[in-house]
């Protein structure tokens, strides 16, 4: 993406933190998971490029647990003990709210892009 003259901010800045909560909730939706596994899985949602920073993930997991959206317990089965995280019923409800919000945002963004394209195609855009 070209850098606007005199501007340093890019549209995607801050996206990583903004969608971390729903990414973690969706990562836990199909099954309980431990932190490292969750870090590996949430990359596929497209909000984090590369591997998500573990410190950021664990900070969000602790916050989500404090908010009652996630619960955790130690799994001391085979291998080293791991903290397993699972979605609570409140977490499932919050994920559904996030999805509704994202659907609205997707519609708004599509309308915005369509307006831009139709204005540009009509030749109404000022020359750069």
């Amino acid at each position: 993406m070209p850098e606007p003259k005199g501007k340093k901010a890019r549209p995607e800045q801050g996206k990583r933190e903004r969608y971390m909560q729903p990414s973690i909730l969706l990562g836990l939706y199909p099954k309980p998971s431990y932190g490292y596994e969750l870090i590996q899985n949430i990359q596929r949602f497209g909000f984090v490029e590369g591997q998500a920073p573990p410190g950021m993930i664990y900070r969000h997991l602790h916050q989500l647990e404090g908010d009652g959206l996630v619960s955790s317990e130690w799994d001391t089965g085979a291998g080293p003990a791991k903290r397993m995280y699972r979605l609570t019923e409140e977490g499932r409800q919050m994920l559904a709210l996030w999805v509704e919000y994202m659907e609205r945002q997707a519609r708004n963004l599509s309308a915005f892009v369509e307006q831009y394209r139709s204005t540009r195609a009509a030749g109404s855009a000022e020359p750069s």
Side-chain angles (χ1 to χ4, degrees):
M1 171 185 298
E3 192 73 35
K5 293 178 183 172
K7 301 285 182 185
K8 297 218 185 226
R10 296 173 59 121
E12 69 271 13
Q13 286 182 322
K15 181 171 63 171
R16 178 182 281 193
E17 285 282 332
R18 186 176 328 146
Y19 293 107
M20 194 54 59
Q21 183 187 65
S23 294
I24 291 171
L25 295 175
L26 182 57
L28 294 172
Y29 187 69
K31 67 179 184 69
S33 182
Y34 59 95
Y36 182 76
E37 180 181 51
L38 190 60
I39 290 168
Q40 301 301 310
N41 289 336
I42 64 173
Q43 292 175 178
R44 63 191 158 126
F45 305 142
F47 297 117
V48 177
E49 292 180 20
Q51 185 171 338
M56 180 172 57
I57 300 298
Y58 286 109
R59 178 171 44 88
H60 281 282
L61 280 167
H62 293 292
Q63 181 180 356
L64 291 169
E65 190 168 20
D67 292 343
L69 304 176
V70 167
S71 65
S72 70
E73 58 188 31
W74 284 100
D75 177 5
T76 56
K82 296 179 240 180
R83 193 151 194 88
M84 294 295 290
Y85 295 89
R86 75 178 63 248
L87 209 52
T88 64
E89 184 54 38
E90 292 84 4
R92 290 179 187 281
Q93 292 171 6
M94 180 60 74
L95 179 57
L97 290 173
W98 265 108
V99 169
E100 290 173 13
Y101 168 77
M102 289 178 173
E103 288 172 335
R104 281 192 312 275
Q105 291 298 95
R107 287 190 300 273
N108 292 340
L109 289 169
S110 291
F112 182 91
V113 169
E114 184 54 39
Q115 180 63 47
Y116 168 77
R117 287 185 176 150
S118 64
T119 302
R120 185 174 176 192
S124 299
E126 291 186 25
S128 31

